Amino acid sequence: NNGEDVREDSVGDVCDLIEAGEQIIRGFKFKTEEQRMFAAMVLSSDRPVLALQAPTAFGKTMTYLLPMLVLKRTRRGRYVHFIAVPYVSLKLATIQRLQEAGLCAADISMLKAYAVESRICSIDALVGTFDSYGTQWLYSLLNEWNVRFGGLREKGYFVLDEAHVLWLEQEFRSQLNNVVSLKWNEFNKIIMLSATFPRWLFQKVCRQLNLSEHAIRNARWINVVKQVPNSGVLKETLTVARNEFKSIIKKRVDSYLASTVGGKAIMFFGSKRRLRECYDSWKSNEAVLAVDADMSEERKLAVYREFEASQSAARVIMGTKLISNGLDCASVDYVCLASCDVHIID
């Protein structure tokens, strides 16, 4: 090399992260010092596993999105990143958000496409559900990545969004138990994010994924939840007779629509049957929407976006637990859990 220094250029720093943020939001600034610190760790830390417990609206997505944008510039054409989310609705929303930020993102199923080698060079990130990463065809392909795609793209970050679901729902989603088959040491970094991810649960998920002892010893878990979420929010618990349930819900919705102007409300139901019984009264009212598990994923996402839009006539959305995954609406000021049995992590 004629005595020249052949070391790689810098992977980037906080200034690069801010520049990447300005590509998305004019005048971008990190919301908090903790958000800035974790994003910087994702970009440049040598720790193999990073985990973040942070409250809703913290900006968790930005902590990995910005480093991906920086790497796209400082390590041009080098990495494909992988993002795993618990539900299809969240998968669709994540793909859309990455694309809007300037990354070439696609559904993980594109790896099944004919002549995928010719397309992989243009992909920055692939997004799939936890279950999809537990299917044999996918974990086998990822484990053979260096043989099949190594000369084209390396495996970058592996992001586990809403990571607590891996442990919480493993008993009735059997494919979650197959995610352990991935060769974790081949990824640039493993990143786990959740609003409900205490250290004990982080350690359980690490064991569940069969991470190496070295990775676990050198992992970093960061907690920025300083108080019980929503501790200052007024709460009410009401027990009603079964035959009064539907009328009580109707009164609540009527009261909310009549007494508020700009807010939005979410009604969680413990079952599809309960949801359908209560929504039946509102089918012709544009102020009330419903999300049903039997809808197509595209239709669900369309309903979410209509509810989130500030100018929309939609004021109330009803659904089962799945509506909590994919919604991002700052104007929500009323939440009702109707006949819901929830786990403490929920």
Side-chain angles (χ1 to χ4, degrees), residues 126-189:
L126 292 170
V127 187
T129 61
F130 292 160
D131 306 77
S132 63
Y133 284 100
T135 56
Q136 184 174 359
W137 77 268
L138 182 52
Y139 65 69
S140 296
L141 185 149
L142 291 179
N143 288 342
E144 296 169 1
W145 185 275
N146 293 338
V147 175
R148 187 166 177 184
F149 303 113
L152 303 172
R153 287 286 178 105
E154 297 177 25
K155 290 188 283 190
Y157 304 145
F158 193 101
V159 180
L160 293 150
D161 200 0
E162 304 293 347
H164 67 279
V165 174
L166 279 169
W167 178 79
L168 190 66
E169 300 187 0
Q170 60 183 310
E171 291 185 8
F172 59 90
R173 294 171 65 180
S174 59
Q175 284 187 316
L176 299 189
N177 297 308
N178 295 332
V179 181
V180 303
S181 302
L182 290 170
K183 294 180 180 177
W184 297 109
N185 63 314
E186 294 184 355
F187 294 96
N188 176 281
K189 201 173 272 112

Side-chain angles (χ1 to χ4, degrees), residues 74 108 132 137 160 217-218 235 238 271 288 301 311 314 319:
T74 63
I108 194 75
S132 63
W137 77 268
L160 293 150
R217 281 198 314 272
N218 290 278
K235 304 173 188 69
L238 182 65
S271 69
V288 183
L301 191 59
Q311 302 304 314

Side-chain angles (χ1 to χ4, degrees), residues 258-288:
S259 61
T260 63
V261 178
K264 307 237 181 188
I266 301 177
M267 312 286 289
F268 292 92
F269 291 84
S271 69
K272 287 189 292 185
R273 180 180 61 81
R274 288 282 198 187
L275 161 65
R276 290 168 178 170
E277 287 176 356
C278 293
Y279 181 61
D280 190 60
S281 304
W282 299 97
K283 285 184 176 178
S284 59
N285 191 324
E286 64 179 356
V288 183

Side-chain angles (χ1 to χ4, degrees), residues 18-70:
I18 294 173
E19 287 181 12
E22 290 175 342
Q23 294 178 31
I24 307 171
I25 304 170
R26 180 176 297 181
F28 169 82
K29 293 182 180 180
F30 284 105
K31 291 183 176 181
T32 62
E33 173 61 19
E34 290 90 347
Q35 187 192 37
R36 183 203 67 79
M37 176 188 70
F38 193 79
M41 291 178 67
V42 170
L43 179 63
S44 57
S45 170
D46 60 358
R47 293 184 181 276
V49 182
L50 295 172
L52 174 67
Q53 176 178 247
T56 301
F58 173 84
K60 293 186 287 294
T61 300
M62 295 293 273
T63 65
Y64 69 81
L65 192 159
L66 295 180
M68 287 180 183
L69 286 170
V70 172

